[in-house]
Amino acid sequence: MLHPQEDNILVETSPLAPLAIQEIPDNKALSETVFTTNPHLKIPKRDIRKSLKALTTEGAFATIFYSIIGGALLSNFLLDLGASTVEIGLLASIPQLTNLLQPLGAYLGDHLKSRHWYSLLIFGSSRLPWLLIVPGIWLVSSSRIQPHQLVLLTLAIICLSNFMEALGRASFLSWMAVLVPDRLRGRYFGFRNSIVTSTNLIGVPLLGLMVSKWPGGSLSGFGVVLVVGVVFAILSLIFQFWITDVNPQLVHAADSDTHHGSPWGKVFSFLKDANFLRFLFYSGLWSFAVNVSAPFFNLYLLGDLNLDVSVVTLYNSLGAGANLLMLMFWGRLADRIGNRPLMITVGILVALTPLLWLESGTAPIFLWAWFPLLHILGGATWAAIDLCSGNLMMSVTPLRNQSIYFAVAAAVPGITGAIGISVGGFVATLTDFGGLPTVFALSAVLRLFALLPLVLVHEQRSVRVSELMRVLIPTLKRQAGAIQAGRTSLKALPLIEELEDEGPPASSST
């Protein structure tokens, strides 16, 4: 489903004019696994269009829920209850650790006959327990339980919710990979994320303002917005009924070797894929480096600088707005020159961003200029990293045992990310070494180091970084001019309509 980015920024923008970038001929493609067409899974183009529209709407509703349970609103709620820095760190590390369950979820999902019903069961079970927080808030307000008991209840629900979601993420991603044609991935996921970000851009500030100004106090206000979020979460599951279901057994039938060998051989087949292992090494290092500091930016604003939650959610919305303006641009650019060069180039900016947090304070120049600029920079750059990371993962994984690959690609960064959060939390408590500013500086150095293995990952139709730099700056200038001239607009899934002009029916295999 949706996953929160660094500093709780979600994600995208509008269709852009064609970029003046030369595409790379097929004879320059690097060696990697290319998905073959599955003759058992021909899905009519009208069903693909309907599925992609439903998938976009599903994401828009789900983002309201995830912005409440995984962002500044939840951090502020726990701080109001008196949660410690360690407990705030657990808030971020629990989702990382539960990623270890993704291979089990992939195995279970592959042995059923419906991606849809498996997703409905898993994600429905993960979202409804959040309603238990509401009576807990009433018990705290009436002094029937201690605030710290509600903190422990919240952490328990986070554990349960992420436990269930970890069992469903790989299966859901495999479902999307089958339905989204390979030639449209960059643009479609860019567009879908733009809708998600638009919703986030409008919804999060309103929710933060509601919590801050609620007559009964911020605790009661969070209870109200949490109920609203669960309602939207249920609506997102309803829209999955309009997404074409996929039988994973038929997907596996595309490869005649799938049914040979032991089950353990299938699970560990990724160990023979050198290119995937290089990608896995990069993603593990990157997750560790990012998570050393990622959970603590909001904590720094809310705790160390004592800013109001409505101001912090406004900052996050500015970052989401930057995502909105850049995501479709990054998606189209990735479709033309590849994901890897974008991840390397933009990754350097993302790596250096924590250093900019070393210069901060509560003076007006920081509150109304510096922090907004930092969030805008973060939103624009993380738009490329998040979009291209998912597309690159789909690109380096074969069709056979695909969900196992996806699960491993989530489990390993989950482990390293949890370790990174623990390291960051420990360093943050060492006030003699500078506290959170030291954490930010350490994360920047580690991020730069983590980019090195990405250079060795092979991607089909990927250009060299030097070629990318020759076209990236002029293209950014043209995009800025298009925005200023008002030529960038958000139209209703124009890329999906491209399927109408294609010849043969689209295959569901990727």
Side-chain angles (χ1 to χ4, degrees):
M1 306 301 282
L2 297 174
H3 307 291
Q5 302 175 1
E6 179 186 47
D7 204 22
N8 307 292
I9 300 169
L10 285 172
V11 158
E12 173 167 12
T13 134
S14 52
L16 307 177
L19 302 176
I21 296 177
Q22 182 180 3
E23 293 195 27
I24 303 305
D26 290 339
N27 59 6
K28 292 184 71 173
L30 297 174
S31 59
E32 77 165 2
T33 303
V34 179
F35 297 129
T36 58
T37 301
N38 185 351
H40 300 283
L41 277 173
K42 291 288 186 179
I43 300 178
K45 287 181 289 187
R46 65 179 180 276
D47 289 344
I48 291 181
R49 290 195 297 271
K50 181 182 70 173
S51 297
L52 297 188
K53 291 177 181 178
L55 187 60
T56 302
T57 308
E58 181 270 345
F61 281 109
T63 190
I64 297 294
F65 172 72
Y66 285 111
S67 67
I68 294 171
I69 67 161
L73 293 175
L74 182 60
S75 298
N76 184 75
F77 171 69
L78 292 177
L79 288 173
D80 285 345
L81 292 172
S84 65
T85 303
V86 174
E87 288 166 333
I88 296 295
L90 284 175
L91 172 65
S93 62
I94 288 172
Q96 301 284 352
L97 290 173
T98 54
N99 281 330
L100 287 170
L101 296 171
Q102 288 210 36
L104 174 61
Y107 180 83
L108 295 175
D110 283 352
H111 284 75
L112 299 177
K113 295 183 178 181
S114 171
R115 293 290 190 199
H116 171 227
W117 288 106
Y118 182 71
S119 174
L120 190 66
L121 172 65
I122 293 298
F123 292 106
S125 301
S126 71
R127 295 173 182 180
L128 292 177
W130 282 94
L131 291 174
L132 296 175
I133 298 292
V134 177
I137 293 174
W138 176 78
L139 291 174
V140 169
S141 300
S142 58
S143 301
R144 285 178 169 82
I145 63 174
Q146 295 298 316
H148 192 257
Q149 292 177 286
L150 184 54
V151 171
L152 297 178
L153 173 64
T154 303
L155 291 176
I157 292 175
I158 292 172
C159 286
L160 175 62
S161 176
N162 283 277
F163 175 89
M164 296 302 299
E165 291 219 2
L167 295 177
R169 287 182 190 133
S171 178
F172 188 84
L173 187 57
S174 297
W175 190 12
M176 288 195 295
V178 167
L179 292 174
V180 181
D182 181 62
R183 66 187 180 277
L184 295 180
R185 275 183 186 161
R187 283 171 287 171
Y188 171 71
F189 284 117
F191 182 85
R192 180 179 185 265
N193 289 345
S194 72
I195 299 299
V196 166
T197 303
S198 299
T199 306
N200 193 50
L201 182 63
I202 298 171
V204 171
L206 294 177
L207 294 172
L209 185 62
M210 183 184 297
V211 171
S212 180
K213 305 300 182 181
W214 190 257
S218 60
L219 289 181
S220 300
F222 180 80
V224 173
V225 301
L226 183 60
V227 171
V228 172
V230 172
V231 171
F232 278 102
I234 294 173
L235 288 175
S236 75
L237 295 177
I238 292 175
F239 274 94
Q240 289 187 12
F241 283 94
W242 280 271
I243 302 176
T244 300
D245 198 2
V246 170
N247 184 347
Q249 303 298 321
L250 295 181
V251 174
H252 292 169
D255 195 318
S256 60
D257 294 332
T258 298
H259 301 289
H260 299 296
S262 65
W264 287 112
K266 298 176 185 177
V267 171
F268 294 103
S269 59
F270 69 91
L271 293 175
K272 300 178 182 179
D273 191 331
N275 193 44
F276 177 76
L277 291 177
R278 288 191 290 267
F279 172 79
L280 197 62
F281 183 52
Y282 151 75
S283 61
L285 287 179
W286 180 255
S287 179
F288 172 81
V290 167
N291 282 285
V292 165
S293 63
F296 303 107
F297 289 108
N298 278 333
L299 178 62
Y300 181 66
L301 296 174
L302 293 167
D304 289 30
L305 301 184
N306 198 29
L307 300 186
D308 188 80
V309 64
S310 61
V311 176
V312 177
T313 54
L314 177 61
Y315 292 158
N316 290 337
S317 295
L318 290 174
N323 260 279
L324 184 63
L325 291 174
M326 292 301 297
L327 251 165
M328 200 67 183
F329 165 76
W330 294 129
R332 287 182 177 271
L333 187 59
D335 282 344
R336 286 162 171 76
I337 50 85
N339 298 284
R340 186 181 65 91
L342 273 180
M343 292 171 66
I344 294 173
T345 306
V346 181
I348 294 174
L349 292 176
V350 172
L352 296 176
T353 299
L355 295 178
L356 301 178
W357 284 77
L358 300 180
E359 187 66 31
S360 59
T362 56
I365 186 65
F366 293 110
L367 297 180
W368 307 116
W370 188 242
F371 288 140
L373 286 175
L374 287 180
H375 282 78
I376 290 172
L377 174 64
T381 52
W382 272 104
I385 297 298
D386 286 345
L387 179 65
C388 294
S389 295
N391 290 341
L392 182 61
M393 179 178 65
M394 290 184 184
S395 179
V396 300
T397 55
L399 178 64
R400 181 177 59 177
N401 302 323
Q402 189 178 64
S403 59
I404 295 293
Y405 276 72
F406 288 161
V408 172
V412 170
I415 299 172
T416 58
I419 296 173
I421 292 170
S422 301
V423 170
F426 174 74
V427 175
T429 61
L430 302 178
T431 55
D432 292 339
F433 288 90
L436 286 178
T438 302
V439 171
F440 299 156
L442 174 63
S443 179
V445 174
L446 293 174
R447 292 181 191 197
L448 288 172
F449 177 76
L451 288 172
L452 296 178
L454 184 58
V455 178
L456 303 177
V457 177
H458 291 173
E459 181 190 16
Q460 188 181 22
R461 299 177 64 83
S462 176
V463 305
R464 295 182 179 181
V465 175
S466 58
E467 296 179 44
L468 170 64
M469 295 307 296
R470 287 207 311 268
V471 298
L472 180 58
I473 295 177
T475 303
L476 285 172
K477 291 181 179 179
R478 286 193 297 272
Q479 169 64 5
I483 294 174
Q484 291 177 355
R487 296 196 300 269
T488 300
S489 60
L490 201 60
K491 300 178 182 177
L493 289 178
L495 68 156
I496 296 177
E497 303 305 325
E498 294 178 15
L499 294 172
E500 296 179 349
D501 300 326
E502 300 287 338
S507 170
S508 65
S509 116
T510 53

